[in-house]
Amino acid sequence: MYLKENLTAYKTILIKEILRFSRIWLQTIIPPAITMGLYFIIFGQLIGSQISDINGHTYMDYIVPGLIIMSIISSSYSNVVSSFYGTKFHHHIEELLVSPIANITIIAGYVSGGVARGLIVGLIVTIVSLFFTQISIHSYAITFFVAILTAILFSLAGLINAIFANSFDDITIVPTFILTPLTYLGGVFYSIEMLPEFWQNVSLINPVLYMVNAFRMGMLGVSDASLGVAILIIISFIILLTSICLGLLYKGVGIKK
Amino acid sequence: MKTMKALKIKNLKKTYKNGFQALKGIDLEIKEGDFFALLGPNGAGKSTIIGVICSLINKSSGQISILGHDLNQAPHEAKQHLGVVPQEFNFNVFEPVEEILVNQAGYYGVNRAEAFKRAEIHLKQLDLWDKRRDMAQSLSGGMKRRLMIARALMHNPKILILDEPTAGVDIEIRRSMWAFLQKINEQGTTIILTTHYLEEAEQLCKQIAIINQGVIIKNCAMEELLSELDSECLELHLKTAIENTPSLGHYPVRLKNQTTLEVEIKKGESLNTLFELLTLNNINIESIRNKSNRLEQLFLNLVTPSKKIQESD
């Protein structure tokens, strides 16, 4: 079996997810574009004009990839965490549990929904950035590949958060206390070469740094980390988080009595 | 010809994390095509059984097979045959009615074009077609119940489990739901029903199991169970008021108020003697009714002793 049935089920979850965030586009699509637009104005134009070039690029150009990948990270994460926790809270997770759908299909469906929202928001932020600077993409393939892998990774992280969450507070704790600091300290606004050596080494522990820099490599052709290492780290995390999700769904943690 | 078992449960046990043993070794077999009632007082274990069958609750031990497919070994085949109408509303209230049905079909591998066709059939059958574009949250309680029935039928299940499907709906809708369920049962769908309305179970079901404190205490044909009732209580409404309780021979009698008498008669006993005695006492009867639902009486007889034991513990 069941490949055909599971493919239909996968498409069903994906369409459901896309319709869900499209219905509430004012909450899901527009806010990141406005926030990032403000970053472009304040950090890029006002403050950035006082900062010298980094790795041969103006400060505005340098932060564009970081802000795009930051919006992809937060959108894909928040899409899955809020949607999946919503299905638990309103009990329609039972629709999935009763059905013969495979756990991997559930994961793939929700993660793809997160990726879809992440990429749409990323595209809109890219369009917004065009009002402030001209972007010439160094490598479309690397840019797109890293964007998708990053969105997959943070969608998986959002799913794990949702599985464990017991209240709406629980779905905001991780983004507030872990995700946002890691992203801000992940080289979105600066190159780690600007840091003292000790803090450079500390920064290398932060996985988000590799995603930001891999994406920057795709867009600008410059990076603080090796592209190969970055992709290896992202894929390793994807495999790890997928395995954790499968284990949690199999045991019914957070979703079954 | 040997009939296939729609559902077979063997030594099913469930102990919750807090140590409460909800199921203490349930054995149950339900034939294909049956209309089966699973009754029991609150907390008896009905919803736990349903939850385990529907994969919403992890069992502690035991085996469940659905139309010959073990739920653990072959979950896809087993689940494909199950349709579930739960006690609580469990659909996305922020989705349009039609979308809820189409999504449900999709989870069972039914493609979108076919799902829309089926949704139209079921929504029309359950009188919800006009509401197909409305958000589910705008539906009335009765409509939400019917929506859950329509949703459960989207993948053409061979077994339909209904956990108190008519709770909180008015009598008119309840009757129309009964008629609908009887129709689909006649068309071959096995139906398993839990309900607090014992009249509902008596009207609809062919087989019955009563569960109490995690144990099946009765499992037989409805007719067989009803035949166990050895007496009935008749309520007689009098044309003219009387002051004192009359003597009606061997019939236990109670004067409820000046115009209402309650008389207990043994099963199979002729009513002629009773009416002769009433005539002798110059009592004029205006109307007569069976005071209690028959199944209700039996249910109380079966369940009350154990409740009393529990209370005295």
Side-chain angles (χ1 to χ4, degrees), chain B residues 88-260:
Chain B
E88 308 287 340
F89 301 129
N90 69 343
F91 44 79
N92 187 352
V93 292
F94 304 112
E95 274 178 357
V97 166
E98 191 176 38
E99 214 170 292
I100 289 171
L101 299 196
V102 170
N103 286 342
Q104 179 74 8
Y107 299 152
Y108 287 81
V110 179
N111 70 58
R112 224 164 160 78
E114 173 63 21
F116 274 105
K117 284 182 201 161
R118 291 190 192 180
E120 182 177 348
I121 293 167
H122 294 307
L123 288 173
K124 282 180 176 170
Q125 270 179 336
L126 286 151
D127 211 12
L128 287 169
W129 181 241
D130 293 343
K131 300 282 178 188
R132 67 189 180 280
R133 306 246 189 271
D134 294 4
M135 290 290 169
Q137 64 180 341
S138 69
L139 301 184
S140 68
M143 286 175 184
K144 285 176 179 162
R145 293 258 165 231
R146 281 180 280 150
L147 170 60
M148 291 205 294
I149 294 177
R151 183 185 61 175
L153 295 171
M154 282 298 288
H155 60 287
N156 298 334
K158 290 185 178 164
I159 303 167
L160 184 63
I161 298 178
L162 302 113
D163 195 2
E164 299 189 27
T166 56
V169 301
D170 67 42
I171 188 70
E172 195 185 344
I173 293 171
R174 194 182 307 161
R175 301 259 170 195
S176 70
M177 279 165 76
W178 289 359
F180 181 76
L181 293 175
Q182 274 173 321
K183 193 174 106 188
I184 59 170
N185 177 243
E186 281 160 17
Q187 288 166 354
T189 308
T190 306
I191 296 183
I192 302 166
L193 175 83
T194 79
T195 179
H196 276 297
Y197 301 110
L198 300 181
E199 182 199 358
E200 186 166 273
E202 190 178 340
Q203 288 266 342
L204 297 173
C205 300
K206 300 168 197 165
Q207 291 285 128
I208 184 168
I210 295 177
I211 179 172
N212 196 25
Q213 294 176 29
V215 178
I216 300 275
I217 54 173
K218 198 79 192 172
N219 183 5
C220 61
M222 183 68 80
E223 280 181 8
E224 191 187 321
L225 181 66
L226 292 174
S227 69
E228 286 181 16
L229 194 64
D230 59 356
S231 67
E232 283 181 278
C233 183
L234 298 180
E235 198 172 81
L236 309 175
H237 298 273
L238 312 183
K239 240 178 186 171
T240 46
I242 57 172
E243 291 296 326
N244 301 313
T245 308
S247 170
L248 296 176
H250 65 282
Y251 294 104
V253 61
R254 186 174 83 89
L255 186 62
K256 195 175 172 187
N257 57 48
Q258 287 186 329
T259 55
T260 312

Side-chain angles (χ1 to χ4, degrees), chain A residues 1-2 94-95 97 256, chain B residues 55 76-77 79 90 151:
Chain A
M1 134 96 198
Y2 316 126
E94 292 175 7
E95 291 178 336
L97 297 178
K256 286 188 189 181
Chain B
S55 311
H76 183 273
E77 290 84 347
K79 286 175 164 189
N90 69 343
R151 183 185 61 175

Side-chain angles (χ1 to χ4, degrees), chain A residues 223-239:
Chain A
S223 172
D224 287 341
S226 147
L227 180 66
V229 172
I231 288 175
L232 191 69
I233 286 173
I234 301 171
I235 290 175
S236 304
F237 269 106
I238 288 174
I239 294 168

